[in-house]
């Protein structure tokens, strides 16, 4: 089999790392730190360098199965698998906490949570705050309530969605195989590793073969689908062997020994394009001249003090237009507050939000990460 060369890892400040069941329950039994230790060390080293990592971890079902092994609980029934997932969540989180000097926080999501714009924004705000207070978010699918998602067992695609959710620069997928190969290397001795994929075409998808996982329910095809989703959001994906400690250590030194899936455009370009061109109704937020100038500089969030009025009816998480005193379009963005709340907050200081509303979603009406300037 051909040797896989090392290559520079794309520069990144925030990454999502997905770790599958085959790395956490490698012997087909309960959870083990054997391979997780090197990955946890990579996370710690990255955080020490001022980078942020969000962890998407499988393993709950495998952990629950191991706890009930003596009872030989069958795996064919969905309700039984959901019970195993609930049982295994605590040991899965305990494993990562035991390997981290920082606090870890469990976040359970389903794909449906991320399709709903209000819940999407709530999850985004929570994850942003966890990173801000130096906590490691450990995300897993909420298998105990998900139905279609649990059938797919698809934490690969969930990781890609989370990468877009948190504005990650890079998606890292730790697998039990070195890289994408031209064919299944376990069945074809002539299979060769593919170090770089510029575009995921049908021919590339055909290289995926079967799932191959013994304790998880994903496979190479879901990893390619995840890389495809990440690329559409402007995020590169690095696939590597999480069982090889040297490969994991090399990641911390900026070297990838695996497959790099290129994003056709930058993350910022992809997100800003969506904000500028996604359908939007007539709802808008009018700002004063000072706020318009601050937004035009490109480094500011829209705070309540710069708001004059909310026009139309919109809800938290809706896409709105931001206009200046003359009615000219300045920007488009996702509002952290509904129209009624924005009207109550107009002209006030951010510190007054909780007193005025009885709750707060943060100091900004529109955070700068959710804002795209209109030029020309």
């Amino acid at each position: 089999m051909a040797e896989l060369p090392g290559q520079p890892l794309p520069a990144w400040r925030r990454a999502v790392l997905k770790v599958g069941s085959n790395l956490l329950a490698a012997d087909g039994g309960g959870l083990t730190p054997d391979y997780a230790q090197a990955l946890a060390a990579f996370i710690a080293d990255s955080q020490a360098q001022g980078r942020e990592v969000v962890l998407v971890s499988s393993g709950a079902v495998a952990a629950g199965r191991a706890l009930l092994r003596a009872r030989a609980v069958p795996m064919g029934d969905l309700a039984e698998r959901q019970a195993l997932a609930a049982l295994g969540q605590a040991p899965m989180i305990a494993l990562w906490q035991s390997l981290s000097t920082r606090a870890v926080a469990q976040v359970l999501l389903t794909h449906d949570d991320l399709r709903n714009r209000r819940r999407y924004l709530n999850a985004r705000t929570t994850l942003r705050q966890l990173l801000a207070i130096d906590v490691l978010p450990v995300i897993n699918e909420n298998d105990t309530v998900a139905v279609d998602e649990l059938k797919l067992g698809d934490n690969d695609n969930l990781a890609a969605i989370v990468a877009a959710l948190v504005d990650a620069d890079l998606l890292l997928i730790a697998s039990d195989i070195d890289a994408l190969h031209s064919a299944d290397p376990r069945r074809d001795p002539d299979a060769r590793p593919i170090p770089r994929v510029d575009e995921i075409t049908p021919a590339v998808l055909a290289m995926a073969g079967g799932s191959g996982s013994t304790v998880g329910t994903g496979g190479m095809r879901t990893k390619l689908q995840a890389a495809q989703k990440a690329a559409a959001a402007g995020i590169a994906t690095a696939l590597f062997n999480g069982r090889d400690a040297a490969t994991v250590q090399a990641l911390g030194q900026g070297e990838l020994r695996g497959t790099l899936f290129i994003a056709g455009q930058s993350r910022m370009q992809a997100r800003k394009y969506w904000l500028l061109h996604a359908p939007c109704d007539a709802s808008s937020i009018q700002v004063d001249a000072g706020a318009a100038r601050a937004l035009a500089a490109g480094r500011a969030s829209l705070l309540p003090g710069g708001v004059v009025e909310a026009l139309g009816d919109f809800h938290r998480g809706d896409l709105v237009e931001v206009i200046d005193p003359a009615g000219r379009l300045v920007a488009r963005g996702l509002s952290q507050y509904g129209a009624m709340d924005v009207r109550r907050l107009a002209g006030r200081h951010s510190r007054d939000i909780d007193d005025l509303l009885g709750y707060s979603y943060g100091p900004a009406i529109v955070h700068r990460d959710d804002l795209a300037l209109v030029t020309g």
Side-chain angles (χ1 to χ4, degrees):
M1 186 181 298
E3 185 177 349
L4 190 68
Q7 59 183 306
L9 194 67
W12 62 278
R13 185 185 64 85
R14 179 180 296 160
V16 170
L17 170 62
K18 188 267 177 177
V19 180
S21 297
N22 269 3
L23 300 181
L24 299 180
D27 60 355
L31 300 184
T32 170
D34 292 352
Y35 302 123
Q37 286 177 330
L39 294 165
F42 164 74
I43 294 172
D45 290 345
S46 298
Q47 291 173 323
Q49 296 170 24
R51 293 170 170 162
E52 297 174 336
V53 178
V54 175
L55 180 62
V56 175
S57 177
S58 301
V61 172
R65 183 193 310 130
L67 288 173
L68 294 182
R69 184 177 299 280
R71 295 172 55 184
V73 176
M75 290 297 294
D77 183 83
L78 178 63
E80 290 168 344
R81 295 185 65 193
Q82 289 176 320
L84 293 181
L87 181 63
Q89 289 293 344
M92 187 268 287
I93 288 295
L95 172 65
W96 288 113
Q97 183 62 83
S98 70
L99 298 174
S100 175
T101 58
R102 290 173 167 83
V104 303
Q106 183 181 48
V107 181
L108 296 176
L109 297 172
T110 66
H111 285 219
D112 191 52
D113 289 327
L114 303 176
R115 282 195 291 261
N116 181 288
R117 60 193 175 197
R118 294 188 192 180
R119 283 187 280 180
Y120 179 98
L121 200 57
N122 286 340
R124 180 181 172 86
T125 300
T126 298
L127 291 171
R128 182 184 288 151
Q129 182 61 29
L130 288 172
L131 292 172
I133 60 176
D134 201 26
V135 170
L136 172 63
V138 180
I139 298 175
N140 193 15
E141 231 174 342
N142 195 351
D143 291 342
T144 59
V145 298
V147 177
D148 291 339
E149 289 79 5
L150 185 56
K151 290 178 183 177
L152 293 172
D154 196 354
N155 270 356
D156 292 316
N157 276 287
L158 179 63
I161 296 171
V162 169
L165 173 71
V166 300
D167 290 327
D169 307 297
L170 183 64
L171 171 61
L172 297 162
I173 299 181
S175 180
D176 59 350
I177 195 168
D178 293 339
L180 172 67
H181 287 70
S182 57
D184 189 339
R186 290 165 292 197
R187 296 181 175 89
D188 186 348
D190 294 324
R192 56 183 178 82
I194 310 295
R196 176 184 169 115
V197 175
D198 292 310
E199 182 181 3
I200 300 177
T201 63
V204 171
L205 287 171
M207 299 176 187
S211 68
S213 177
T214 58
V215 294
T217 47
M220 185 56 70
R221 179 166 290 272
T222 63
K223 290 169 177 54
L224 293 181
Q225 292 169 347
Q228 199 169 35
K229 284 184 174 66
I235 302 167
T237 298
L239 173 66
F240 64 95
N241 191 338
R243 292 186 174 185
D244 188 329
T247 294
V248 176
Q249 187 176 19
L251 282 178
Q253 300 167 357
E255 178 184 313
L256 170 64
R257 301 175 186 175
T259 300
L260 179 63
F261 298 89
I262 303 299
Q265 56 187 338
S266 72
R267 174 187 59 81
M268 190 61 69
Q269 287 172 331
R271 180 162 180 76
K272 296 302 184 185
Y273 182 89
W274 177 81
L275 288 170
L276 288 173
H277 298 285
C280 177
D281 60 22
S283 299
S284 61
I285 298 174
Q286 188 174 47
V287 300
D288 60 29
R293 286 193 298 270
L295 294 177
R299 297 185 298 274
S301 298
L302 175 58
L303 302 178
V307 173
V308 175
E309 176 62 287
L311 306 173
D313 183 24
F314 55 88
H315 302 282
R316 168 169 160 78
D318 283 356
L319 183 63
V320 298
E321 295 185 338
V322 180
I323 59 176
D324 68 9
R328 292 185 294 262
L329 183 61
V330 176
R332 300 174 100 223
L334 300 178
S335 179
Q336 292 270 14
Y337 296 87
M340 291 183 60
D341 288 344
V342 173
R343 293 186 185 104
R344 295 177 66 185
L345 297 175
R348 305 298 292 266
H349 197 282
S350 294
R351 63 171 172 262
D352 299 328
I353 292 176
D354 196 54
D355 289 338
L356 290 168
L357 303 181
Y359 52 85
S360 174
Y361 296 123
I365 301 297
V366 181
H367 193 279
R368 64 177 178 271
D369 290 344
D370 299 324
L371 195 72
L373 298 177
V374 175
T375 59

